[in-house]
Amino acid sequence: MRIAVLGVGLIGGSIGLAARERARAEVVGWGPRRKTLETALALGAVDRVAPNVEDAVADADAVFACAPVELLPELVAQALAAAGPDTVVTDAGSTKRNLVDAIDDERFVGGHPIAGAETAGVENARVDLFDGAAWYLTPRADTSGILFERLHRLLVAFGARPSAIDAQTHDRMLAAVSHLPHVLANVLVTQAASDVADDEPLPRTGPSFRDVTRVAGANSEVWTGIYLSNRDAIAYEVDAVIERLAAVADWLRSADAEALRTWNDSAREDRRRLLEAGLQGGSVTEMRLSVPNRPGIVAQVALALGKAGVNIADMALSPAPDMRSGSMTLWIAGDDDAERAKQLIVELGFPAAVVEA
Amino acid sequence: MRIAVLGVGLIGGSIGLAARERARAEVVGWGPRRKTLETALALGAVDRVAPNVEDAVADADAVFACAPVELLPELVAQALAAAGPDTVVTDAGSTKRNLVDAIDDERFVGGHPIAGAETAGVENARVDLFDGAAWYLTPRADTSGILFERLHRLLVAFGARPSAIDAQTHDRMLAAVSHLPHVLANVLVTQAASDVADDEPLPRTGPSFRDVTRVAGANSEVWTGIYLSNRDAIAYEVDAVIERLAAVADWLRSADAEALRTWNDSAREDRRRLLEAGLQGGSVTEMRLSVPNRPGIVAQVALALGKAGVNIADMALSPAPDMRSGSMTLWIAGDDDAERAKQLIVELGFPAAVVEA
């Protein structure tokens, strides 16, 4: 298998390392900066460096576009123009709607790994960066099922946990769990630093302040793009936070101990639920379904399960010899999820058989 | 030296461990829960357990009241009533103005160590919990200098970095760097968890969400008290955050890339300054000053240096034989800070001599 990585920073470099070591793929890298490419080559994140996008993409089975979000529409279009009919093209951008709306091609699947590190740059790339990490995929109804399955399997090989989601829901969710935390961290440090008279020292900060503000002032080049590309959803979240804060200020001013306690208790419970939602437990069930071999089926099944929070640990497609139908095998983690997956598949109109391990 | 610890949880237990191991003190513990006291004894956080506050405080050189903030005024008053004239009484509460206003006694110095851990309870107490940690002290003009110095030296022995601050400034600062982060973390998780339709799974969260929300839903018993005891300052901070967020929402809606970039850049710079403010660098300068031996001098010097952000690494008082004057030795960390300390001391009207190492 040959993989092209366009942009070999922290994410692209880690994709290269994982693809080479865990998927035994040949990795071709391209990027705008010569020095970064040389570092990627020296670190073993790519097998070779291509002089341009066209050369990198030629004969690739999968292409990962890893660039700031505002550059992705052009980069992905360029990759698709150069890629063959059997190449899946994806990206690693933090927002998805702008890009998915701009690209009308059955070979494209929007992607977003929920992984990162405090320190960007290919020199911090790691083969295990995606271990256990959620990796959102945003297929559309016309996305090629075969290409989607290839990408899904590749991400599982990387150690990630891909799940399908529609682009709009993705952007709304990410506004709440990623972009908003960055906004609040920025506001917190700005306020703590400015809320001091000229003749006073800056306040001493403790470990919790450091944690809460770790993402403050993240790379401006990257984040200005993210803020703009998801600005409606983020502004909506900011408005909602303002409303919640106004309520808290009221409770404080009226010394409403009961309201503060209830709010604090529910925050603890909400955090527990949110963190557990990211965990995967129980055994893995293998499930086989017969599906007509037409476009959109794979995306339809993946989106239905993704929407219900069911994690597809892995998937495989096997077309029938006449290519008019095929079987799709899914591995579902967690006993409850397996039961739900079976129901959902039956509701979609496909017969599902559970294969005992 | 004998030390009484009233309330042996995470903080009180760690004080006990540090006092025994690093200040070679005998530690007597008291607390409302029998089982906690037994654990403290078993862990070596106290030498013995007292049946009541009076017994614990008898013959103590220093008393640490470690209880939820709303219980402190009564506990500190009880300790002072039982303590001898040569006992310094302090506390470890997260807000200071309410308590300092309530207690009118030259033996009392409000205190607040900026240390903690994710997990409360004496079983998580550690001898090194205060290593390098800021420890605010809020002396008043009438605080005994001798008792303040004893407490200061004890905290240095614990490994902490005490600094004096007036109670109101303390509470305003803490509202910004500690209480507000808790409020925002709570709001973030509540929103992320509720911003989901009934048929949708909870969003997957990544490492940055976990960091940003680590303090969400902290112990409701403790935090309801903190919120209420500092409610005016926190409400003020919340209002200021609302204003800042409204500006961010405007920039987002008008796609103002330049404003977003500038704001993000300044947040990065602010965070750097805030974290560096907590660091201590350079050599330590020994400085001796002659002071009249009257109440308030030590507090006056400590507050003046604390206000200027100068860290007193250690201090010692040596009264002259006639007790009408004395010399005060200060160890100041950082060359710039030593120079500033000297100026400030001269401005206060005391001659200062720098003793070369």
Side-chain angles (χ1 to χ4, degrees):
Chain A
M1 179 176 289
R2 177 178 291 183
I3 285 174
V5 178
L6 310 178
V8 283
L10 172 68
I11 299 294
S14 298
I15 288 171
L17 289 169
R20 291 187 70 206
E21 187 170 319
R22 300 186 172 179
R24 299 178 182 283
E26 184 198 349
V27 176
V28 182
W30 173 85
R33 290 196 194 88
R34 179 92 228 146
K35 206 168 147 53
T36 306
L37 288 169
E38 282 164 9
T39 309
L41 194 61
L43 294 171
V46 298
D47 289 283
R48 71 173 179 87
V49 164
N52 52 50
V53 171
E54 288 66 29
D55 186 273
V57 165
D59 301 322
D61 299 290
V63 176
F64 290 84
C66 306
V69 282
E70 68 274 16
L71 303 179
L72 284 172
E74 196 185 325
L75 183 62
V76 168
Q78 202 183 347
L80 285 164
D86 188 38
T87 303
V88 60
V89 176
T90 186
D91 73 298
S94 297
T95 64
K96 298 268 64 82
R97 217 186 52 183
N98 278 0
L99 180 61
V100 170
D101 285 354
I103 304 291
D104 186 15
D105 195 304
E106 64 155 26
R107 295 168 299 164
F108 174 66
V109 186
H112 178 205
I114 308 293
E118 268 191 84
T119 40
V122 68
E123 55 282 7
N124 296 300
R126 295 179 356 224
V127 67
D128 61 354
L129 187 68
F130 309 113
D131 274 355
W135 193 313
Y136 287 114
L137 293 175
T138 59
R140 303 195 310 190
D142 62 349
T143 300
S144 155
I146 290 168
L147 294 180
F148 180 84
E149 179 235 16
R150 183 190 303 159
L151 177 60
H152 194 284
R153 302 205 81 176
L154 198 50
L155 302 185
V156 170
F158 290 177
R161 295 161 49 203
S163 73
I165 188 172
D166 74 275
Q168 186 158 357
T169 306
H170 170 275
D171 284 6
R172 185 166 51 72
M173 255 184 199
L174 267 286
V177 303
S178 169
H179 311 154
L180 186 61
H182 279 75
V183 169
L184 293 184
N186 277 3
V187 165
L188 255 178
V189 291
T190 314
Q191 181 149 330
S194 67
D195 205 23
V196 171
D198 277 349
D199 63 340
E200 280 177 0
L202 286 170
R204 302 278 177 81
T205 54
S208 58
F209 188 85
R210 283 196 288 277
D211 278 355
V212 173
T213 63
R214 186 171 68 75
V215 297
N219 189 313
S220 291
E221 200 181 336
V222 171
W223 276 86
T224 305
I226 292 174
Y227 288 138
L228 289 178
S229 74
N230 202 21
R231 59 182 185 272
D232 292 339
I234 303 173
Y236 173 89
E237 293 293 330
V238 169
D239 286 350
V241 160
I242 287 175
E243 269 184 47
R244 288 181 193 274
L245 287 174
V248 175
D250 282 348
W251 299 330
L252 288 166
R253 293 218 163 83
S254 60
D256 190 338
E258 199 41 46
L260 289 167
R261 186 188 309 275
T262 306
W263 166 69
N264 196 63
D265 283 343
S266 78
R268 181 168 49 256
E269 174 61 16
D270 283 340
R271 182 165 194 266
R272 191 191 58 71
R273 287 168 53 222
L274 283 164
L275 297 198
E276 280 183 4
L279 297 176
Q280 172 176 17
S283 53
V284 172
T285 303
E286 186 177 324
M287 200 169 288
R288 195 163 295 162
L289 44 158
S290 301
V291 290
N293 193 6
R294 59 173 161 78
I297 292 293
V298 175
Q300 189 187 359
V301 170
L303 282 169
L305 299 192
K307 194 175 174 194
V310 172
N311 179 47
I312 304 174
D314 205 353
M315 69 159 71
L317 295 180
S318 323
D322 65 359
M323 295 300 280
R324 293 200 306 177
S325 69
S327 81
M328 185 171 164
T329 310
L330 302 175
W331 287 266
I332 307 290
D335 296 344
D336 292 354
D337 279 3
E339 197 46 53
R340 266 199 295 165
K342 200 177 162 185
Q343 274 176 14
L344 288 164
I345 287 162
V346 170
E347 281 167 24
L348 288 173
F350 311 126
V354 172
V355 182
E356 299 299 338
Chain B
M1 178 176 290
R2 177 178 291 182
I3 284 173
V5 177
L6 311 177
V8 284
L10 172 68
I11 299 292
S14 298
I15 289 171
L17 289 169
R20 292 187 70 207
E21 187 170 318
R22 300 187 173 180
R24 299 177 181 284
E26 185 197 349
V27 176
V28 182
W30 172 85
R33 290 196 195 86
R34 182 89 227 146
K35 205 168 147 52
T36 306
L37 288 169
E38 282 165 9
T39 308
L41 194 60
L43 294 172
V46 299
D47 290 284
R48 70 173 180 87
V49 164
N52 52 50
V53 171
E54 288 66 29
D55 186 273
V57 165
D59 301 322
D61 299 290
V63 176
F64 290 84
C66 306
V69 282
E70 68 275 16
L71 304 179
L72 284 172
E74 196 184 324
L75 183 62
V76 168
Q78 202 183 346
L80 285 164
D86 188 38
T87 303
V88 60
V89 176
T90 187
D91 74 298
S94 298
T95 64
K96 298 267 65 79
R97 217 185 54 182
N98 278 1
L99 179 60
V100 170
D101 285 353
I103 304 291
D104 187 15
D105 195 303
E106 62 155 27
R107 296 169 297 163
F108 174 66
V109 185
H112 177 204
I114 308 292
E118 268 190 85
T119 40
V122 68
E123 56 282 4
N124 296 300
R126 297 182 351 227
V127 68
D128 62 354
L129 187 68
F130 309 113
D131 273 356
W135 192 313
Y136 286 114
L137 293 175
T138 60
R140 303 196 310 189
D142 61 349
T143 300
S144 156
I146 291 168
L147 294 180
F148 180 84
E149 180 236 15
R150 183 190 301 159
L151 177 60
H152 194 284
R153 301 205 80 176
L154 198 50
L155 302 185
V156 170
F158 291 178
R161 294 160 49 203
S163 73
I165 188 172
D166 74 275
Q168 186 159 355
T169 305
H170 170 275
D171 284 7
R172 185 165 52 73
M173 253 183 201
L174 267 287
V177 302
S178 170
H179 311 154
L180 185 60
H182 279 77
V183 169
L184 293 184
N186 277 4
V187 165
L188 256 178
V189 292
T190 314
Q191 181 149 329
S194 66
D195 205 24
V196 170
D198 277 350
D199 63 340
E200 281 177 0
L202 285 170
R204 301 278 176 80
T205 55
S208 58
F209 187 85
R210 282 196 289 277
D211 278 353
V212 174
T213 63
R214 186 173 69 75
V215 297
N219 189 312
S220 291
E221 199 180 336
V222 170
W223 274 86
T224 305
I226 293 174
Y227 288 138
L228 290 178
S229 73
N230 201 21
R231 60 182 184 272
D232 292 339
I234 304 173
Y236 173 89
E237 294 293 330
V238 169
D239 286 350
V241 159
I242 287 175
E243 268 184 48
R244 289 181 193 275
L245 286 174
V248 174
D250 282 348
W251 298 331
L252 288 166
R253 292 216 163 84
S254 60
D256 190 338
E258 199 41 45
L260 289 166
R261 185 189 309 273
T262 305
W263 164 71
N264 196 63
D265 283 343
S266 77
R268 180 167 52 252
E269 173 60 15
D270 285 339
R271 182 167 195 264
R272 191 190 58 73
R273 287 168 53 222
L274 284 163
L275 297 197
E276 280 184 4
L279 298 176
Q280 174 175 16
S283 53
V284 172
T285 303
E286 186 178 324
M287 200 169 289
R288 195 164 295 160
L289 44 157
S290 300
V291 290
N293 194 8
R294 58 175 161 77
I297 293 292
V298 174
Q300 190 187 357
V301 170
L303 282 169
L305 299 193
K307 193 175 175 196
V310 172
N311 179 47
I312 303 175
D314 205 353
M315 70 160 70
L317 295 180
S318 323
D322 66 359
M323 295 299 279
R324 292 200 303 176
S325 70
S327 80
M328 185 171 165
T329 309
L330 302 175
W331 287 267
I332 307 291
D335 296 342
D336 293 354
D337 279 4
E339 198 46 51
R340 265 198 296 166
K342 200 176 160 186
Q343 275 177 12
L344 289 164
I345 288 162
V346 170
E347 281 168 24
L348 287 173
F350 310 127
V354 172
V355 182
E356 299 300 337

